[in-house]
Amino acid sequence: MAVSNDSTSEVLFIHQQMFQVALTEGPLSKVSVATIMSLFFTYLNAIMVYTIWSKPVLKETPRYILFTHMLLNDSIQLIVTSMLYIFSLSFFKLITFACAFLVFVSSTTFNNAPLNLAVMSLERYVAIRFPLRHAEIATQKRTHIAIGAIWFMGSINFIIDLIYGVVMDSNFLTSQIFCTRERLFKRPWQADVLQGFYIFYFVSVTVIILFTYISIMITARSISSNKDSAAKAHKTVLLHIIQLGLCLTSFLYSIIERAAAMAGSSILFMDLRYLNYLFVLILPRCLSPLIYGLRDEAVCPLLMHYFRCAKGKRKSTVNVH
């Protein structure tokens, strides 16, 4: 089984082992920028979560429960992805069990992001199309069940691959490997299944978000009352579409990285790999607080209050529309 795994790895990961660049001042400064960027936005997300949890009316509202989950999910994604990037840059090997845990968290949170956007869009759809039944349909319990379903759907493919690896090789979790998602594959067809899963997964999410966007847009034009709420929901779902597009760019990461490696220049490879990691993989995960928090009338004043270390006058009441 080890021979088969090695041959598969040679095909899938040669671009990660072609070059080994010494961690001099230049590469270290780049890693520092990426790490500081991830930590800053994780800190900003933490302030946002604290802001929401500081007000029971926000903490108990399904829309903000989903928003909080998105912030926590993105924060975990930023931290774990930064760790994996540092490990790959330093060619650091991990025991497969530890690698599997990190990759599980990274891949699941990656998959969770668009699913969470789809559920948030559906919640806005219910709020606008069925305003009188919104409180009945979008309850706290159902919101938590939806979050559980998001984690199940986001992790199912990885769990299947992990179980298959353990069944096929009893020593699978005890060997040392360069820690990447593909390194955990035992057969080439698993990579094809993963790509098929991604295509089905993102096409489904795109259809859901476009459906809610068009439905809310039609409703906003037809109703004579509550046009402001419909217009805000319309803009929110439009932002969901934009962020979904940013999530889709993450799939270009491995393609760009392989193409850079095939160029044959170690310096070019490492530079493009860094820019690819920073702008394609990390930046889309840093936009949640900027896209949603700063434009939310209920959250923004509180966020500014806590971001300034609770200095200045605090808004005592919060209105949720």
Side-chain angles (χ1 to χ4, degrees):
M1 299 308 303
V3 174
S4 175
N5 189 49
D6 289 342
S7 62
T8 301
S9 299
E10 288 176 3
V11 175
L12 293 173
F13 309 111
I14 188 171
H15 65 286
Q16 294 189 4
Q17 301 175 39
M18 288 177 65
F19 311 114
Q20 185 165 359
V21 178
L23 290 179
T24 58
E25 182 178 349
L28 284 175
S29 63
K30 293 178 180 179
V31 173
S32 299
V33 170
T35 303
I36 291 173
M37 181 179 175
S38 297
L39 291 177
F40 172 76
F41 279 97
T42 300
Y43 168 71
L44 191 60
N45 287 352
I47 295 178
M48 191 86 70
V49 171
Y50 179 80
T51 298
I52 295 174
W53 284 353
S54 67
K55 291 291 184 178
V57 66
L58 297 179
K59 186 178 180 181
E60 298 171 0
T61 303
R63 173 158 53 112
Y64 292 103
I65 293 175
L66 292 170
F67 180 41
T68 301
H69 176 253
M70 181 175 65
L71 292 170
L72 293 173
N73 185 82
D74 288 350
S75 298
I76 295 171
Q77 169 75 12
L78 287 171
I79 293 173
V80 176
T81 302
S82 297
M83 293 174 60
L84 291 173
Y85 176 72
I86 293 172
F87 290 156
S88 66
L89 189 66
S90 60
F91 290 83
F92 182 76
K93 286 188 175 182
L94 289 177
I95 296 176
T96 305
F97 178 81
C99 175
F101 174 75
L102 291 176
V103 173
F104 167 77
V105 175
S106 176
S107 63
T108 302
T109 51
F110 174 81
N111 295 334
N112 287 351
L115 282 176
N116 200 83
L117 290 175
V119 176
M120 291 175 72
S121 297
L122 288 173
E123 188 275 333
R124 289 293 83 199
Y125 167 79
V126 172
I128 300 304
R129 292 299 302 270
F130 310 102
L132 299 180
R133 298 187 57 197
H134 177 251
E136 176 187 349
I137 297 174
T139 62
Q140 289 187 52
K141 181 178 179 180
R142 288 179 177 176
T143 303
H144 291 140
I145 292 174
I147 291 174
I150 287 172
W151 278 87
F152 174 77
M153 294 177 64
S155 63
I156 186 64
N157 182 263
F158 178 84
I159 292 175
I160 292 173
D161 282 339
L162 186 62
I163 293 174
Y164 179 78
V166 173
V167 171
M168 296 299 293
D169 184 359
S170 59
N171 298 321
F172 176 65
L173 295 178
T174 57
S175 58
Q176 288 190 338
I177 60 172
F178 293 108
C179 191
T180 65
R181 172 69 171 93
E182 292 83 0
R183 273 288 186 176
L184 299 174
F185 292 152
K186 301 296 292 182
R187 291 289 187 273
W189 59 261
Q190 291 176 274
D192 297 331
V193 171
L194 179 63
Q195 292 301 317
F197 171 79
Y198 280 151
I199 293 172
F200 171 78
Y201 174 81
F202 273 90
V203 167
S204 300
V205 171
T206 301
V207 169
I208 292 173
I209 294 181
L210 288 177
F211 168 75
T212 57
Y213 175 79
I214 295 172
S215 298
I216 292 174
M217 182 175 61
I218 294 173
T219 302
R221 292 181 177 180
S222 62
I223 61 177
S224 58
S225 61
N226 204 23
K227 283 186 175 292
D228 289 340
S229 296
K232 289 179 181 178
H234 173 258
K235 292 179 181 179
T236 298
V237 177
L238 178 61
L239 289 174
H240 291 172
I241 295 175
I242 295 173
Q243 194 166 16
L244 179 64
L246 293 173
C247 290
L248 286 171
T249 63
S250 300
F251 287 113
L252 299 175
Y253 181 78
S254 61
I255 298 174
I256 296 174
E257 190 172 89
R258 292 187 188 190
M262 294 303 110
S265 170
S266 61
I267 297 177
L268 176 63
F269 171 72
M270 297 305 294
D271 288 342
L272 289 179
R273 188 183 197 185
Y274 170 74
L275 293 175
N276 189 29
Y277 166 76
L278 192 64
F279 291 105
V280 176
L281 198 62
I282 292 298
L283 187 60
R285 306 296 174 181
C286 298
L287 297 180
S288 296
L290 301 180
I291 290 178
Y292 299 99
L294 297 181
R295 64 179 292 272
D296 192 291
E297 296 177 357
V299 173
C300 186
L302 288 172
L303 174 64
M304 293 296 99
H305 174 77
Y306 289 117
F307 187 75
R308 295 193 298 264
C309 300
K311 293 181 180 179
K313 186 176 179 180
R314 177 181 175 181
K315 187 177 179 181
S316 57
T317 59
V318 175
N319 295 321
V320 178
H321 301 287

